[in-house]
Amino acid sequence: MHELSIALSIIDIACEESHSRGDAGVIAVHLKIGRMSGVVIEALLSAFEIAREETLLANAELKIEDVLVKVRCPKCECEQLADSIQCLCCSVCGTLSPEITEGCELEVVAMELEPLELTQ
Ligand SMILES: [Zn+2]
């Protein structure tokens, strides 16, 4: 699966951010992962555990927000939860929607860094 390469790019992003702040250790990385992103959260967590060793993220935790799929329903004229990821129908009225508004994301939304000790 591609979860290992995703874990590696999360580590890359986080290390870069940490470098720009004086190599602070990373406590946690917050992610948003949509149900349509194709990422298996369990697999990503285990890939991350292996990949983080000997990096600034050795003790970091992944905090994942599992984003449900939403569609813009033409009948309700607003955003609604989809029935399922197989059926992109409005969960309220059942109309098939041509437009997914949420649930495809795979992004780093925030990071928690260890405070740096002040040096002269
Ligand atoms: Zn609807």
Side-chain angles (χ1 to χ4, degrees), residues 73 76 90 93:
C73 175
C76 303
C90 169
C93 69

Side-chain angles (χ1 to χ4, degrees), residues 71-78 80 89-95:
V71 294
R72 182 162 303 283
C73 175
K75 196 168 169 191
C76 303
E77 296 183 333
C78 66
Q80 300 282 15
C89 296
C90 169
S91 60
V92 176
C93 69
T95 303

Side-chain angles (χ1 to χ4, degrees), residues 15-115:
C15 282
E16 211 165 285
E17 183 66 27
S18 160
H19 277 315
S20 71
R21 293 170 194 231
D23 287 341
V26 180
I27 299 169
V29 180
H30 295 248
L31 303 170
K32 263 188 174 181
I33 297 182
R35 293 279 173 95
M36 296 282 288
S37 67
V39 176
V40 180
I41 291 176
E42 299 295 302
L44 178 61
L45 286 172
S46 32
F48 179 76
E49 291 226 337
I50 299 162
R52 70 180 176 174
E53 279 180 32
E54 293 177 27
T55 71
L56 289 166
L57 285 83
N59 298 311
E61 224 186 308
L62 283 189
K63 299 199 172 170
I64 296 176
E65 184 189 335
D66 181 18
V67 182
L68 296 174
V69 180
K70 284 187 184 168
V71 294
R72 182 162 303 283
C73 175
K75 196 168 169 191
C76 303
E77 296 183 333
C78 66
E79 208 179 60
Q80 300 282 15
L81 280 175
D83 252 355
S84 72
I85 64 168
Q86 285 80 31
C87 169
L88 297 173
C89 296
C90 169
S91 60
V92 176
C93 69
T95 303
L96 182 66
S97 166
E99 191 191 340
I100 300 167
T101 55
E102 268 182 53
C104 301
E105 43 279 270
L106 169 54
E107 49 185 315
V108 175
V109 287
M111 279 177 51
E112 293 171 41
L113 297 175
E114 280 170 7

